[in-house]
Amino acid sequence: LFWQLTTKRVQPLATIERTPSDASNQTGLPTSNQNQGQTTTKSSDLIDQTLNQDQSNSNPTDTANRDNKISNFSETVVNSPQLSSDGTNVDYYNQSDSKFYRLTPDGETTVLSDKSFPQVQQVTWSPDRNQALLQFPDDNKIIYNFQTKQQVSLPKHWQEFSWSPNGQQLVFKSIGLDANNRWLGVVNSDGTGSQTLESIGVNADKVITSWSPNNQIIALLTEGADFNNKTVYFIGQNHENFRSVTVHGRGFQPIWSPQ
C-alpha cells in the first residue's frame, strides 16, 4: 500500500503569478502578508484530491468480484511458521497452548502432536519438516520427531545448530568454558553418533554453522582481511582444503542457494 501511494503521480502545486509591476517594485526580501487576499492550495489538499479522484474512477464491481483469500485464522501469537513437507500446508507453534499445529489453505487447523512444549524460544525445522529442534530460555534443547512422537535432549553447551539436507544430522558448536574445549561437531537426529570434527578454540565466535545443500560444507569461518573485507573459509566433514573467498563489507551472513 505504501508503494502504491508513493508512486502515484501527484499534480504540481498551484503557483502564484506575479505581475511585472510586482517584480519591478520588489526590492530586498519580501515583507510579511505580501500575498494577503490571494488563494493558495496546500500540497496535502492536492494529494487528497488525487486519491479521491482515483477512488471515484475505480469500478465498484472490482471490490465485489475480488477473491479475498487473506483471513484471520488465529487470535493467538503464532511462532515459527514453516511450509509443511507437502508444500501446501503450514506448520507452526502456538504460544497460547504451547502446541504445534498444521494450517490448511482452507483455514482448517489440526494438531501435530498432543504434547505441549511450554515457552519454546526458537524452533529450527528439519528440511523434511518431520522434526524440529526446540530451544528454551533456560538453554535446554530437544529434538522432537512429529512422526514417531519421540524426543531427544541435547547438552546445554551445544549451540548454533544447522540441519543436514536429508534431515538426519545436525552440525553444532560445542562451547566449553575453556577455549581448548570448543569444537565443531555433528550428531544424528535421534541423538546418537555425536562426534567432534574441528577444534574452533578462540575462533568459536567467527564460525557459522551452515550445512550446504550439496552436503560438502558444514560451516564457515570468517576473518577480517581488512577493515572493510572478510575472508571466508569453508569447513567440510573430512578436513578438506576448500578455496577461501574474500567478500566485501562487514557482518557476513551466508544463505545457500537450493542447489
Side-chain angles (χ1 to χ4, degrees), residues 150-207:
Q150 300 294 320
Q151 76 176 47
V152 177
S153 297
L154 301 177
K156 289 186 176 182
H157 61 278
W158 288 7
Q159 303 176 10
E160 300 183 29
F161 298 83
S162 177
W163 286 94
S164 64
N166 60 9
Q168 299 302 311
Q169 291 180 296
L170 297 99
V171 60
F172 61 90
K173 293 195 292 188
S174 178
I175 306 299
L177 295 178
D178 188 347
N180 295 322
N181 193 26
R182 297 172 185 171
W183 294 82
L184 186 69
V186 295
V187 63
N188 296 330
S189 60
D190 60 0
T192 64
S194 62
Q195 56 179 321
T196 57
L197 300 179
E198 295 280 355
S199 175
I200 54 180
V202 295
N203 293 317
D205 59 337
K206 301 178 182 178
V207 174

Side-chain angles (χ1 to χ4, degrees), residues 206-218:
K206 301 178 182 178
V207 174
I208 304 173
T209 57
S210 182
W211 207 312
S212 64
N214 65 3
N215 211 35
Q216 289 185 328
I217 311 299
I218 60 171

Side-chain angles (χ1 to χ4, degrees), residues 7 17 25 30 39-40 47 69 75 82 96 111 115 184 208 219 223 239:
T7 55
E17 296 183 357
N25 296 331
T39 303
T40 60
I47 294 176
K69 293 186 178 181
E75 297 293 341
Q82 185 67 264
S96 63
V111 65
K115 186 176 179 60
L184 186 69
I208 304 173
E223 288 186 343
H239 304 283

Side-chain angles (χ1 to χ4, degrees), residues 38-58:
Q38 298 180 351
T39 303
T40 60
T41 304
K42 296 187 296 184
S43 59
S44 58
D45 295 338
L46 285 176
I47 294 176
D48 293 338
Q49 293 174 9
T50 304
L51 294 179
N52 293 332
Q53 183 178 4
D54 291 342
Q55 293 175 358
S56 62
N57 293 335
S58 62

Side-chain angles (χ1 to χ4, degrees), residues 85-123:
S85 57
D86 57 16
T88 302
N89 304 313
V90 175
D91 299 335
Y92 65 93
Y93 172 72
N94 190 338
Q95 289 186 355
S96 63
D97 60 4
S98 305
K99 291 184 178 181
F100 285 87
Y101 290 88
R102 174 162 293 173
L103 173 70
T104 68
D106 297 328
E108 299 295 330
T109 57
T110 57
V111 65
L112 289 178
S113 174
D114 294 331
K115 186 176 179 60
S116 60
F117 304 91
Q119 298 182 349
V120 172
Q121 189 175 46
Q122 182 178 351
V123 179

Side-chain angles (χ1 to χ4, degrees), residues 121-140:
Q121 189 175 46
Q122 182 178 351
V123 179
T124 306
W125 294 94
S126 65
D128 58 11
R129 308 296 190 263
N130 295 323
Q131 304 173 88
L133 172 68
L134 312 181
Q135 302 186 57
F136 300 86
D138 58 359
D139 282 339
N140 280 315

Side-chain angles (χ1 to χ4, degrees), residues 7 66-67 243 247 249:
T7 55
R66 188 176 303 150
D67 185 9
R243 179 178 295 180
V247 296

